[in-house]
Amino acid sequence: MAESHSPESLAEREYEYGFTTDVEQETLPPGLDESTVRFISAQKDEPEWLLEWRLKALRRFLELEERETEPTWAMVHYPKIDYQAISYWAAPKQQLVESLDDVDPELLSTYEKLGIPLEEQKRLAGVAVDAVFDSVSVGTTFKAELEKQGILFCSFSDAVQRWPDLIRQYLGSVVPYSDNFFACLNSAVFSDGSFAYIPKGVRCPMELSTYFRINAANTGQFERTLLVADEGAYVSYLEGCTAPMRDENQLHAAVVELVALDDAEIKYSTVQNWYPGDKDGKGGIYNFVTKRGACRGKRSKISWTQVETGSAITWKYPSCILQGDDSVGEFYSVALTANHQQADTGTKMIHLGKNTKSTILSKGISAGFGQNTYRGLVRVQPKAEGARNYSQCDSLLLGDRCGAHTFPYLEVKNSSATVEHEATTSKIGEDQLFYCRQRGISEEDAVSMIVNGFCKEVLRELPMEFAVEAQKLLGVSLEGAVG
Amino acid sequence: MLKIEKLHARAGDAEILKGLDLEVRPGEVHAVMGPNGSGKSTLANVLAGRPSVEVTAGKVLFEGRDLTELEPEERAREGIFLAFQYPVEIPGVSNLYFLKAALNSRRKHLGQEELDAMDFLTLAKEKAKLVEMDEALLNRAVNEGFSGGEKKRNEVLQMTVLEPKLAILDETDSGLDIDALRVVARGVNALRAPDRAMLVITHYQRLLDYIVPDVVHVLAGGRIVRSGGKELAQELEEKGYGWLTEDAA
């Protein structure tokens, strides 16, 4: 009889994007105190109020660290991080440039290796890319075209210089500097990120996109993203990431804030493929992210879609504060953990306004020794008359050494609310695999097909080109698990 | 085409097949009948290469090649098709997509050009008509929420699209009403060809009114205990299996 394969062995595919780029770095020595924050702020020529804001965050962070209040409730395990051993600043020497011709060719070739040539994208895909290479933006495209419509889209640092009032108005308004341990750290030392503002009644004509990349060894990356959709505006924002192979763990603590005013809609899509560590669990990114959107206006809508296949550890809960009456929050998630990856991810839907609606659809896939946790909170406050939530959390297991965990928290303080929760756990069975193979489909293709089928409802929420990438990514992340 | 000699096979701890011999030539339709637990499905699974069934002794040759050396997908691409007794559901994967992947893996193996989406759709619709399958089912997820009859029709649809050399039907008639049975039989009969062989596994003689076999075998206690022409099926219908299984014991 032919040798049979265990499905869990499918989970061992080498990381495809493991290369580093030889670009000179300007790096601050490891350590974190006021001088670090002052240095970063000065590098960016920031206004005094922003420096003060950072310093408040730093003091809060140092206080929390001293009291050892780094969160430990998530189902993830990692050695204690020495925050003084991290370098908080690394920037490519070449700063913001006028055109792609002025961009360091090394950087451009990195993007090409990743399959995201900027020029190609400019011409073909109609996507404006704000490419973040480590900490400083190196190229922003389509800016002029967007500005014609009054859309502001640029690096965060750039926005601080050009539209300080908007930044001051919205920065920290969704995720306060003191929000949580990692948000404090980010607020103190954030390096750069993206900013977008869509004015009243404007439908952003293209998908806005940022590619992140961590490139400096031992340098945490602290991104800050702020998107504001003014009344009646619409924007679809894409975020995708890959990182070079590294042995040291790299800390990433980003903060993303979204604000939707009356009748505005923000669609935020992420494909996250950072280095997950090797098959023995060595190395990989720690991805501790705070993402939150405020549906501040009536009938506003915020939709998070994420495909998380990378990182050694993922700690991430893209959430919605449903403040405006009739506002809508959505969370669609695929999280895949293979080898020794750990993910504790989910969402918070906070219903404050009347007739607010939220949908949660979470698909967790575990293979190898992967540990996958869904953690979600649905809170209906007393004034949220007629609030509705539907949650569905499905887990798929490959093999018998991985784990899937579901922690749904429901807090309903209004009796007119309707809250539904469904959860399933299934295994890719021998029957399914054999059925596919009996039809001539290889085991690897069968697993990829079954996993993609399992995630279909989430994947179809992604913009087309992203969905294709995500499908490939799921296949790639699970390939090699056979044999 | 298929030659099985002194085959012993186990599923789990239990030895199910105990010295089975069988030879099937191109163009022939063989029926394998027998009581429950006689090893009919195990035989089908051995031929298709189900990992949980282990061949412990004997030979299985397909066109002269040792089948046990081949992975299940390789056997499929060589032209062995198993219509499952219990077709499997694959949520989220469309029937069309699945079938196209299956067909193209076989075509690629045979050095033929892979079919593009449009050509494949035309083919699939044409074949769906043959088995009177609702086209809407083509776009649904594989077998998900299908009725028992729809699942069996889907198996026959896959078979007619893949055009195997050796088709094994594992109790394809079970759970079908008479109309569905006719449709399934029509699909199967349409595939009868001089270069194609079929192994029809069934518990009841009923199916053989529609798919008339060249040879009928009775499987009992893990071995073929009697072979004969189509009239053997009729005899079984009248007398049951008891008189044969007693012989086997």
Side-chain angles (χ1 to χ4, degrees), chain B residues 191-221:
Chain B
L191 269 187
R192 289 179 92 143
D195 57 351
R196 179 173 295 136
M198 296 193 197
L199 205 55
V200 179
I201 293 170
T202 180
H203 191 71
Y204 302 104
Q205 181 268 341
R206 193 177 65 151
L207 178 67
L208 305 180
D209 289 343
Y210 300 97
I211 303 171
V212 180
D214 300 300
V215 189
V216 175
H217 307 278
V218 178
L219 185 59

PDB file of all heavy atoms in Angstrom, chain B residues 191-221:
ATOM      1  N   LEU B 191     -20.935   5.101 -20.689  1.00  0.00           N
ATOM      2  CA  LEU B 191     -19.469   5.041 -20.604  1.00  0.00           C
ATOM      3  C   LEU B 191     -18.908   3.696 -21.057  1.00  0.00           C
ATOM      4  O   LEU B 191     -17.709   3.529 -21.182  1.00  0.00           O
ATOM      5  CB  LEU B 191     -19.031   5.282 -19.166  1.00  0.00           C
ATOM      6  CG  LEU B 191     -18.739   6.717 -18.728  1.00  0.00           C
ATOM      7  CD1 LEU B 191     -18.170   6.698 -17.335  1.00  0.00           C
ATOM      8  CD2 LEU B 191     -17.770   7.413 -19.667  1.00  0.00           C
ATOM      9  N   ARG B 192     -19.802   2.730 -21.236  1.00  0.00           N
ATOM     10  CA  ARG B 192     -19.298   1.400 -21.627  1.00  0.00           C
ATOM     11  C   ARG B 192     -18.568   1.511 -22.950  1.00  0.00           C
ATOM     12  O   ARG B 192     -19.063   2.110 -23.902  1.00  0.00           O
ATOM     13  CB  ARG B 192     -20.448   0.403 -21.745  1.00  0.00           C
ATOM     14  CG  ARG B 192     -21.028   0.020 -20.416  1.00  0.00           C
ATOM     15  CD  ARG B 192     -22.173  -0.950 -20.576  1.00  0.00           C
ATOM     16  NE  ARG B 192     -21.684  -2.326 -20.507  1.00  0.00           N
ATOM     17  CZ  ARG B 192     -22.384  -3.309 -19.908  1.00  0.00           C
ATOM     18  NH1 ARG B 192     -23.560  -3.069 -19.373  1.00  0.00           N
ATOM     19  NH2 ARG B 192     -21.900  -4.513 -19.856  1.00  0.00           N
ATOM     20  N   ALA B 193     -17.364   0.971 -22.987  1.00  0.00           N
ATOM     21  CA  ALA B 193     -16.538   1.072 -24.192  1.00  0.00           C
ATOM     22  C   ALA B 193     -15.551  -0.089 -24.208  1.00  0.00           C
ATOM     23  O   ALA B 193     -15.237  -0.645 -23.160  1.00  0.00           O
ATOM     24  CB  ALA B 193     -15.792   2.411 -24.191  1.00  0.00           C
ATOM     25  N   PRO B 194     -15.084  -0.431 -25.402  1.00  0.00           N
ATOM     26  CA  PRO B 194     -14.186  -1.602 -25.515  1.00  0.00           C
ATOM     27  C   PRO B 194     -12.889  -1.453 -24.720  1.00  0.00           C
ATOM     28  O   PRO B 194     -12.279  -2.451 -24.338  1.00  0.00           O
ATOM     29  CB  PRO B 194     -13.874  -1.665 -27.020  1.00  0.00           C
ATOM     30  CG  PRO B 194     -14.909  -0.837 -27.690  1.00  0.00           C
ATOM     31  CD  PRO B 194     -15.389   0.166 -26.708  1.00  0.00           C
ATOM     32  N   ASP B 195     -12.467  -0.207 -24.493  1.00  0.00           N
ATOM     33  CA  ASP B 195     -11.196  -0.028 -23.785  1.00  0.00           C
ATOM     34  C   ASP B 195     -11.411   0.350 -22.315  1.00  0.00           C
ATOM     35  O   ASP B 195     -10.499   0.795 -21.644  1.00  0.00           O
ATOM     36  CB  ASP B 195     -10.344   1.039 -24.482  1.00  0.00           C
ATOM     37  CG  ASP B 195     -11.081   2.363 -24.594  1.00  0.00           C
ATOM     38  OD1 ASP B 195     -12.313   2.398 -24.280  1.00  0.00           O
ATOM     39  OD2 ASP B 195     -10.455   3.359 -24.981  1.00  0.00           O
ATOM     40  N   ARG B 196     -12.632   0.180 -21.843  1.00  0.00           N
ATOM     41  CA  ARG B 196     -12.916   0.608 -20.472  1.00  0.00           C
ATOM     42  C   ARG B 196     -13.548  -0.562 -19.715  1.00  0.00           C
ATOM     43  O   ARG B 196     -14.392  -1.271 -20.256  1.00  0.00           O
ATOM     44  CB  ARG B 196     -13.872   1.790 -20.508  1.00  0.00           C
ATOM     45  CG  ARG B 196     -14.269   2.329 -19.147  1.00  0.00           C
ATOM     46  CD  ARG B 196     -15.071   3.598 -19.286  1.00  0.00           C
ATOM     47  NE  ARG B 196     -14.251   4.661 -19.865  1.00  0.00           N
ATOM     48  CZ  ARG B 196     -14.641   5.483 -20.818  1.00  0.00           C
ATOM     49  NH1 ARG B 196     -15.844   5.391 -21.333  1.00  0.00           N
ATOM     50  NH2 ARG B 196     -13.817   6.407 -21.272  1.00  0.00           N
ATOM     51  N   ALA B 197     -13.134  -0.728 -18.482  1.00  0.00           N
ATOM     52  CA  ALA B 197     -13.720  -1.791 -17.669  1.00  0.00           C
ATOM     53  C   ALA B 197     -14.424  -1.194 -16.465  1.00  0.00           C
ATOM     54  O   ALA B 197     -14.107  -0.070 -16.045  1.00  0.00           O
ATOM     55  CB  ALA B 197     -12.631  -2.750 -17.208  1.00  0.00           C
ATOM     56  N   MET B 198     -15.388  -1.951 -15.930  1.00  0.00           N
ATOM     57  CA  MET B 198     -16.110  -1.454 -14.758  1.00  0.00           C
ATOM     58  C   MET B 198     -16.292  -2.550 -13.729  1.00  0.00           C
ATOM     59  O   MET B 198     -16.498  -3.715 -14.075  1.00  0.00           O
ATOM     60  CB  MET B 198     -17.487  -0.948 -15.158  1.00  0.00           C
ATOM     61  CG  MET B 198     -17.416   0.246 -16.079  1.00  0.00           C
ATOM     62  SD  MET B 198     -19.010   1.022 -16.221  1.00  0.00           S
ATOM     63  CE  MET B 198     -18.729   1.991 -17.682  1.00  0.00           C
ATOM     64  N   LEU B 199     -16.188  -2.112 -12.495  1.00  0.00           N
ATOM     65  CA  LEU B 199     -16.417  -3.009 -11.385  1.00  0.00           C
ATOM     66  C   LEU B 199     -17.589  -2.425 -10.609  1.00  0.00           C
ATOM     67  O   LEU B 199     -17.469  -1.345 -10.027  1.00  0.00           O
ATOM     68  CB  LEU B 199     -15.155  -3.025 -10.520  1.00  0.00           C
ATOM     69  CG  LEU B 199     -14.867  -4.230  -9.647  1.00  0.00           C
ATOM     70  CD1 LEU B 199     -14.856  -5.513 -10.462  1.00  0.00           C
ATOM     71  CD2 LEU B 199     -13.524  -4.034  -8.963  1.00  0.00           C
ATOM     72  N   VAL B 200     -18.720  -3.123 -10.673  1.00  0.00           N
ATOM     73  CA  VAL B 200     -19.927  -2.590 -10.049  1.00  0.00           C
ATOM     74  C   VAL B 200     -20.178  -3.354  -8.746  1.00  0.00           C
ATOM     75  O   VAL B 200     -20.495  -4.537  -8.779  1.00  0.00           O
ATOM     76  CB  VAL B 200     -21.136  -2.719 -10.987  1.00  0.00           C
ATOM     77  CG1 VAL B 200     -22.394  -2.174 -10.323  1.00  0.00           C
ATOM     78  CG2 VAL B 200     -20.870  -1.992 -12.303  1.00  0.00           C
ATOM     79  N   ILE B 201     -19.985  -2.679  -7.638  1.00  0.00           N
ATOM     80  CA  ILE B 201     -20.177  -3.322  -6.345  1.00  0.00           C
ATOM     81  C   ILE B 201     -21.584  -3.017  -5.860  1.00  0.00           C
ATOM     82  O   ILE B 201     -21.986  -1.839  -5.819  1.00  0.00           O
ATOM     83  CB  ILE B 201     -19.148  -2.797  -5.335  1.00  0.00           C
ATOM     84  CG1 ILE B 201     -17.751  -3.260  -5.765  1.00  0.00           C
ATOM     85  CG2 ILE B 201     -19.470  -3.276  -3.928  1.00  0.00           C
ATOM     86  CD1 ILE B 201     -16.633  -2.621  -5.003  1.00  0.00           C
ATOM     87  N   THR B 202     -22.314  -4.038  -5.552  1.00  0.00           N
ATOM     88  CA  THR B 202     -23.684  -3.792  -5.115  1.00  0.00           C
ATOM     89  C   THR B 202     -24.164  -4.903  -4.192  1.00  0.00           C
ATOM     90  O   THR B 202     -23.670  -6.020  -4.204  1.00  0.00           O
ATOM     91  CB  THR B 202     -24.638  -3.649  -6.326  1.00  0.00           C
ATOM     92  OG1 THR B 202     -25.960  -3.399  -5.830  1.00  0.00           O
ATOM     93  CG2 THR B 202     -24.665  -4.923  -7.164  1.00  0.00           C
ATOM     94  N   HIS B 203     -25.104  -4.535  -3.392  1.00  0.00           N
ATOM     95  CA  HIS B 203     -25.671  -5.483  -2.449  1.00  0.00           C
ATOM     96  C   HIS B 203     -26.887  -6.167  -3.072  1.00  0.00           C
ATOM     97  O   HIS B 203     -27.234  -7.282  -2.746  1.00  0.00           O
ATOM     98  CB  HIS B 203     -26.070  -4.718  -1.198  1.00  0.00           C
ATOM     99  CG  HIS B 203     -26.434  -5.586  -0.039  1.00  0.00           C
ATOM    100  ND1 HIS B 203     -25.489  -6.316   0.643  1.00  0.00           N
ATOM    101  CD2 HIS B 203     -27.615  -5.862   0.537  1.00  0.00           C
ATOM    102  CE1 HIS B 203     -26.092  -6.985   1.613  1.00  0.00           C
ATOM    103  NE2 HIS B 203     -27.379  -6.737   1.570  1.00  0.00           N
ATOM    104  N   TYR B 204     -27.526  -5.427  -3.985  1.00  0.00           N
ATOM    105  CA  TYR B 204     -28.784  -5.895  -4.559  1.00  0.00           C
ATOM    106  C   TYR B 204     -28.675  -6.160  -6.040  1.00  0.00           C
ATOM    107  O   TYR B 204     -27.920  -5.508  -6.746  1.00  0.00           O
ATOM    108  CB  TYR B 204     -29.888  -4.846  -4.335  1.00  0.00           C
ATOM    109  CG  TYR B 204     -30.100  -4.529  -2.903  1.00  0.00           C
ATOM    110  CD1 TYR B 204     -29.615  -3.345  -2.370  1.00  0.00           C
ATOM    111  CD2 TYR B 204     -30.772  -5.423  -2.070  1.00  0.00           C
ATOM    112  CE1 TYR B 204     -29.799  -3.039  -1.045  1.00  0.00           C
ATOM    113  CE2 TYR B 204     -30.945  -5.128  -0.737  1.00  0.00           C
ATOM    114  CZ  TYR B 204     -30.465  -3.937  -0.224  1.00  0.00           C
ATOM    115  OH  TYR B 204     -30.639  -3.655   1.089  1.00  0.00           O
ATOM    116  N   GLN B 205     -29.491  -7.073  -6.482  1.00  0.00           N
ATOM    117  CA  GLN B 205     -29.523  -7.437  -7.887  1.00  0.00           C
ATOM    118  C   GLN B 205     -30.151  -6.322  -8.731  1.00  0.00           C
ATOM    119  O   GLN B 205     -29.852  -6.175  -9.910  1.00  0.00           O
ATOM    120  CB  GLN B 205     -30.316  -8.750  -8.007  1.00  0.00           C
ATOM    121  CG  GLN B 205     -30.443  -9.319  -9.385  1.00  0.00           C
ATOM    122  CD  GLN B 205     -31.716  -8.832 -10.051  1.00  0.00           C
ATOM    123  OE1 GLN B 205     -32.632  -8.367  -9.361  1.00  0.00           O
ATOM    124  NE2 GLN B 205     -31.752  -8.912 -11.366  1.00  0.00           N
ATOM    125  N   ARG B 206     -30.992  -5.502  -8.085  1.00  0.00           N
ATOM    126  CA  ARG B 206     -31.783  -4.469  -8.751  1.00  0.00           C
ATOM    127  C   ARG B 206     -30.988  -3.636  -9.780  1.00  0.00           C
ATOM    128  O   ARG B 206     -31.411  -3.462 -10.923  1.00  0.00           O
ATOM    129  CB  ARG B 206     -32.345  -3.544  -7.669  1.00  0.00           C
ATOM    130  CG  ARG B 206     -33.408  -2.612  -8.091  1.00  0.00           C
ATOM    131  CD  ARG B 206     -33.905  -1.811  -6.914  1.00  0.00           C
ATOM    132  NE  ARG B 206     -32.868  -0.926  -6.368  1.00  0.00           N
ATOM    133  CZ  ARG B 206     -33.154   0.228  -5.753  1.00  0.00           C
ATOM    134  NH1 ARG B 206     -34.385   0.607  -5.600  1.00  0.00           N
ATOM    135  NH2 ARG B 206     -32.180   0.976  -5.279  1.00  0.00           N
ATOM    136  N   LEU B 207     -29.820  -3.144  -9.358  1.00  0.00           N
ATOM    137  CA  LEU B 207     -29.014  -2.290 -10.235  1.00  0.00           C
ATOM    138  C   LEU B 207     -28.637  -3.025 -11.522  1.00  0.00           C
ATOM    139  O   LEU B 207     -28.525  -2.424 -12.588  1.00  0.00           O
ATOM    140  CB  LEU B 207     -27.751  -1.830  -9.492  1.00  0.00           C
ATOM    141  CG  LEU B 207     -26.760  -0.963 -10.290  1.00  0.00           C
ATOM    142  CD1 LEU B 207     -27.375   0.390 -10.624  1.00  0.00           C
ATOM    143  CD2 LEU B 207     -25.468  -0.757  -9.519  1.00  0.00           C
ATOM    144  N   LEU B 208     -28.477  -4.359 -11.390  1.00  0.00           N
ATOM    145  CA  LEU B 208     -27.981  -5.129 -12.528  1.00  0.00           C
ATOM    146  C   LEU B 208     -29.039  -5.354 -13.604  1.00  0.00           C
ATOM    147  O   LEU B 208     -28.744  -5.825 -14.689  1.00  0.00           O
ATOM    148  CB  LEU B 208     -27.397  -6.454 -12.037  1.00  0.00           C
ATOM    149  CG  LEU B 208     -26.318  -6.283 -10.957  1.00  0.00           C
ATOM    150  CD1 LEU B 208     -25.790  -7.629 -10.518  1.00  0.00           C
ATOM    151  CD2 LEU B 208     -25.180  -5.391 -11.450  1.00  0.00           C
ATOM    152  N   ASP B 209     -30.292  -4.962 -13.283  1.00  0.00           N
ATOM    153  CA  ASP B 209     -31.318  -4.929 -14.330  1.00  0.00           C
ATOM    154  C   ASP B 209     -31.016  -3.810 -15.313  1.00  0.00           C
ATOM    155  O   ASP B 209     -31.412  -3.854 -16.472  1.00  0.00           O
ATOM    156  CB  ASP B 209     -32.705  -4.674 -13.720  1.00  0.00           C
ATOM    157  CG  ASP B 209     -33.190  -5.896 -12.951  1.00  0.00           C
ATOM    158  OD1 ASP B 209     -32.632  -6.989 -13.168  1.00  0.00           O
ATOM    159  OD2 ASP B 209     -34.103  -5.739 -12.114  1.00  0.00           O
ATOM    160  N   TYR B 210     -30.350  -2.800 -14.824  1.00  0.00           N
ATOM    161  CA  TYR B 210     -30.082  -1.616 -15.647  1.00  0.00           C
ATOM    162  C   TYR B 210     -28.659  -1.608 -16.192  1.00  0.00           C
ATOM    163  O   TYR B 210     -28.395  -1.129 -17.280  1.00  0.00           O
ATOM    164  CB  TYR B 210     -30.348  -0.339 -14.845  1.00  0.00           C
ATOM    165  CG  TYR B 210     -31.768  -0.237 -14.366  1.00  0.00           C
ATOM    166  CD1 TYR B 210     -32.130  -0.622 -13.081  1.00  0.00           C
ATOM    167  CD2 TYR B 210     -32.765   0.223 -15.235  1.00  0.00           C
ATOM    168  CE1 TYR B 210     -33.436  -0.536 -12.653  1.00  0.00           C
ATOM    169  CE2 TYR B 210     -34.078   0.306 -14.818  1.00  0.00           C
ATOM    170  CZ  TYR B 210     -34.415  -0.072 -13.522  1.00  0.00           C
ATOM    171  OH  TYR B 210     -35.701   0.007 -13.114  1.00  0.00           O
ATOM    172  N   ILE B 211     -27.733  -2.072 -15.359  1.00  0.00           N
ATOM    173  CA  ILE B 211     -26.353  -2.196 -15.835  1.00  0.00           C
ATOM    174  C   ILE B 211     -26.086  -3.692 -15.926  1.00  0.00           C
ATOM    175  O   ILE B 211     -25.833  -4.361 -14.930  1.00  0.00           O
ATOM    176  CB  ILE B 211     -25.349  -1.556 -14.853  1.00  0.00           C
ATOM    177  CG1 ILE B 211     -25.706  -0.087 -14.614  1.00  0.00           C
ATOM    178  CG2 ILE B 211     -23.932  -1.675 -15.382  1.00  0.00           C
ATOM    179  CD1 ILE B 211     -24.893   0.561 -13.498  1.00  0.00           C
ATOM    180  N   VAL B 212     -26.166  -4.204 -17.127  1.00  0.00           N
ATOM    181  CA  VAL B 212     -26.086  -5.661 -17.275  1.00  0.00           C
ATOM    182  C   VAL B 212     -24.613  -6.083 -17.304  1.00  0.00           C
ATOM    183  O   VAL B 212     -23.853  -5.671 -18.180  1.00  0.00           O
ATOM    184  CB  VAL B 212     -26.808  -6.119 -18.560  1.00  0.00           C
ATOM    185  CG1 VAL B 212     -26.714  -7.641 -18.684  1.00  0.00           C
ATOM    186  CG2 VAL B 212     -28.261  -5.655 -18.523  1.00  0.00           C
ATOM    187  N   PRO B 213     -24.214  -6.902 -16.336  1.00  0.00           N
ATOM    188  CA  PRO B 213     -22.796  -7.262 -16.228  1.00  0.00           C
ATOM    189  C   PRO B 213     -22.434  -8.433 -17.135  1.00  0.00           C
ATOM    190  O   PRO B 213     -23.283  -9.239 -17.510  1.00  0.00           O
ATOM    191  CB  PRO B 213     -22.669  -7.672 -14.754  1.00  0.00           C
ATOM    192  CG  PRO B 213     -24.022  -8.206 -14.400  1.00  0.00           C
ATOM    193  CD  PRO B 213     -25.023  -7.461 -15.235  1.00  0.00           C
ATOM    194  N   ASP B 214     -21.154  -8.515 -17.466  1.00  0.00           N
ATOM    195  CA  ASP B 214     -20.662  -9.676 -18.205  1.00  0.00           C
ATOM    196  C   ASP B 214     -20.381 -10.828 -17.237  1.00  0.00           C
ATOM    197  O   ASP B 214     -20.572 -11.983 -17.569  1.00  0.00           O
ATOM    198  CB  ASP B 214     -19.376  -9.311 -18.953  1.00  0.00           C
ATOM    199  CG  ASP B 214     -19.606  -8.172 -19.940  1.00  0.00           C
ATOM    200  OD1 ASP B 214     -20.443  -8.349 -20.838  1.00  0.00           O
ATOM    201  OD2 ASP B 214     -18.973  -7.100 -19.789  1.00  0.00           O
ATOM    202  N   VAL B 215     -19.882 -10.457 -16.070  1.00  0.00           N
ATOM    203  CA  VAL B 215     -19.547 -11.462 -15.075  1.00  0.00           C
ATOM    204  C   VAL B 215     -20.085 -11.011 -13.720  1.00  0.00           C
ATOM    205  O   VAL B 215     -20.061  -9.832 -13.408  1.00  0.00           O
ATOM    206  CB  VAL B 215     -18.008 -11.645 -14.951  1.00  0.00           C
ATOM    207  CG1 VAL B 215     -17.677 -12.848 -14.070  1.00  0.00           C
ATOM    208  CG2 VAL B 215     -17.362 -11.789 -16.325  1.00  0.00           C
ATOM    209  N   VAL B 216     -20.566 -11.972 -12.945  1.00  0.00           N
ATOM    210  CA  VAL B 216     -20.999 -11.669 -11.579  1.00  0.00           C
ATOM    211  C   VAL B 216     -20.143 -12.491 -10.616  1.00  0.00           C
ATOM    212  O   VAL B 216     -19.926 -13.681 -10.828  1.00  0.00           O
ATOM    213  CB  VAL B 216     -22.491 -12.027 -11.376  1.00  0.00           C
ATOM    214  CG1 VAL B 216     -22.887 -11.818  -9.907  1.00  0.00           C
ATOM    215  CG2 VAL B 216     -23.365 -11.175 -12.287  1.00  0.00           C
ATOM    216  N   HIS B 217     -19.618 -11.807  -9.581  1.00  0.00           N
ATOM    217  CA  HIS B 217     -18.845 -12.510  -8.554  1.00  0.00           C
ATOM    218  C   HIS B 217     -19.563 -12.388  -7.226  1.00  0.00           C
ATOM    219  O   HIS B 217     -20.165 -11.363  -6.948  1.00  0.00           O
ATOM    220  CB  HIS B 217     -17.457 -11.891  -8.384  1.00  0.00           C
ATOM    221  CG  HIS B 217     -16.683 -11.774  -9.658  1.00  0.00           C
ATOM    222  ND1 HIS B 217     -15.977 -12.823 -10.190  1.00  0.00           N
ATOM    223  CD2 HIS B 217     -16.519 -10.728 -10.506  1.00  0.00           C
ATOM    224  CE1 HIS B 217     -15.385 -12.418 -11.311  1.00  0.00           C
ATOM    225  NE2 HIS B 217     -15.711 -11.153 -11.534  1.00  0.00           N
ATOM    226  N   VAL B 218     -19.434 -13.418  -6.437  1.00  0.00           N
ATOM    227  CA  VAL B 218     -19.948 -13.332  -5.078  1.00  0.00           C
ATOM    228  C   VAL B 218     -18.757 -13.315  -4.129  1.00  0.00           C
ATOM    229  O   VAL B 218     -17.888 -14.187  -4.176  1.00  0.00           O
ATOM    230  CB  VAL B 218     -20.860 -14.527  -4.738  1.00  0.00           C
ATOM    231  CG1 VAL B 218     -21.341 -14.414  -3.290  1.00  0.00           C
ATOM    232  CG2 VAL B 218     -22.038 -14.571  -5.697  1.00  0.00           C
ATOM    233  N   LEU B 219     -18.732 -12.272  -3.325  1.00  0.00           N
ATOM    234  CA  LEU B 219     -17.653 -12.100  -2.356  1.00  0.00           C
ATOM    235  C   LEU B 219     -18.198 -12.477  -0.985  1.00  0.00           C
ATOM    236  O   LEU B 219     -19.246 -11.992  -0.568  1.00  0.00           O
ATOM    237  CB  LEU B 219     -17.195 -10.635  -2.381  1.00  0.00           C
ATOM    238  CG  LEU B 219     -15.997 -10.216  -1.552  1.00  0.00           C
ATOM    239  CD1 LEU B 219     -14.764 -11.004  -1.946  1.00  0.00           C
ATOM    240  CD2 LEU B 219     -15.736  -8.730  -1.761  1.00  0.00           C
ATOM    241  N   ALA B 220     -17.504 -13.378  -0.317  1.00  0.00           N
ATOM    242  CA  ALA B 220     -17.913 -13.750   1.038  1.00  0.00           C
ATOM    243  C   ALA B 220     -16.683 -14.144   1.820  1.00  0.00           C
ATOM    244  O   ALA B 220     -15.784 -14.801   1.288  1.00  0.00           O
ATOM    245  CB  ALA B 220     -18.915 -14.907   0.985  1.00  0.00           C
ATOM    246  N   GLY B 221     -16.615 -13.682   3.050  1.00  0.00           N
ATOM    247  CA  GLY B 221     -15.475 -14.010   3.904  1.00  0.00           C
ATOM    248  C   GLY B 221     -14.145 -13.576   3.322  1.00  0.00           C
ATOM    249  O   GLY B 221     -13.116 -14.190   3.583  1.00  0.00           O
TER     250      GLY B 221
END
